[in-house]
Amino acid sequence: MKNSISAAILLLFGNLIIGQTNLKTSEGAITFNASTPLEDIYAVNNEVNAILQLENGQFAAVLLMKDFRFKRALMQEHFNENYVESERYPKAYFTGRIIDFNIEEVPYSEKEFTIEGKLTIHGLTRSLTTKNTLKKHTDGIEMKSVFMIKPEEFNIKVPKLLFKKIAQEVLVEVHFLLNTQ
């Protein structure tokens, strides 16, 4: 009896997800790691807004650059004032779509999909194609992605004096739990 109740709840939840048009979050997480052997540079932003349109796989995310948190306040200040110029370029955006997305093909275990779109940082937009994993979750759909970006491609200048302290390629990790809210 207990198993059939669990199965009925899972079926009902699956149908609720399929019946919805959009899933979203305002508490998505993006971390970046620009560490080198000389300096540990790591930050996290837990206030990322994202939305996924279930009928076509269109996806968008936006964040405030000032919401990245570092372990040292001085590092955060330099990031905002000297590198990403948060006053001038307060937001970063991604808009795109998950290729061959079909909500019915998203399992309760991770499945890899390709996402492609445009990433805007520091006022510059670049194409981005990367792998991500999706899985149905009791609270919606969990989405994860890992990719590299180069600050120079977004006209983020690193002074020669600090060139060896800041990675030339930055590891970006994305984690969203998208739901109907």
Side-chain angles (χ1 to χ4, degrees), residues 37-112:
L38 298 176
E39 190 74 58
D40 184 24
I41 303 171
Y42 175 86
V44 63
N45 185 331
N46 288 313
E47 299 177 35
V48 182
N49 289 288
I51 188 166
L52 172 64
Q53 293 181 351
L54 296 180
E55 65 272 2
N56 58 18
Q58 293 291 318
F59 178 80
V62 62
L63 62 84
L64 291 174
M65 298 304 284
K66 284 188 173 188
D67 287 341
F68 276 104
R69 299 293 173 239
F70 293 75
K71 66 180 181 180
R72 293 194 321 246
L74 185 59
M75 198 175 281
Q76 186 165 327
E77 182 181 323
H78 288 174
F79 171 79
N80 284 301
E81 291 178 7
N82 303 335
Y83 300 109
V84 298
E85 302 174 277
S86 296
E87 290 296 321
R88 187 172 177 193
Y89 307 104
K91 297 177 183 177
Y93 307 89
F94 177 84
T95 56
R97 69 183 184 91
I98 300 170
I99 306 300
D100 297 326
F101 177 79
N102 181 340
I103 186 62
E104 293 177 13
E105 293 179 9
V106 177
Y108 284 93
S109 59
E110 290 185 350
K111 181 177 178 181
E112 190 172 90

Side-chain angles (χ1 to χ4, degrees), residues 105-148:
E105 293 179 9
V106 177
Y108 284 93
S109 59
E110 290 185 350
K111 181 177 178 181
E112 190 172 90
F113 290 83
T114 299
I115 188 168
E116 65 180 16
K118 302 287 184 182
L119 177 63
T120 302
I121 302 173
H122 201 240
L124 294 175
T125 302
R126 302 288 182 247
S127 293
L128 176 69
T129 300
T130 190
K131 300 290 183 191
N132 70 358
T133 59
L134 298 176
K135 77 174 185 175
K136 285 182 185 167
H137 194 272
T138 55
D139 293 328
I141 291 180
E142 185 175 15
M143 178 181 194
K144 295 181 185 177
S145 187
V146 177
F147 56 91
M148 303 291 280

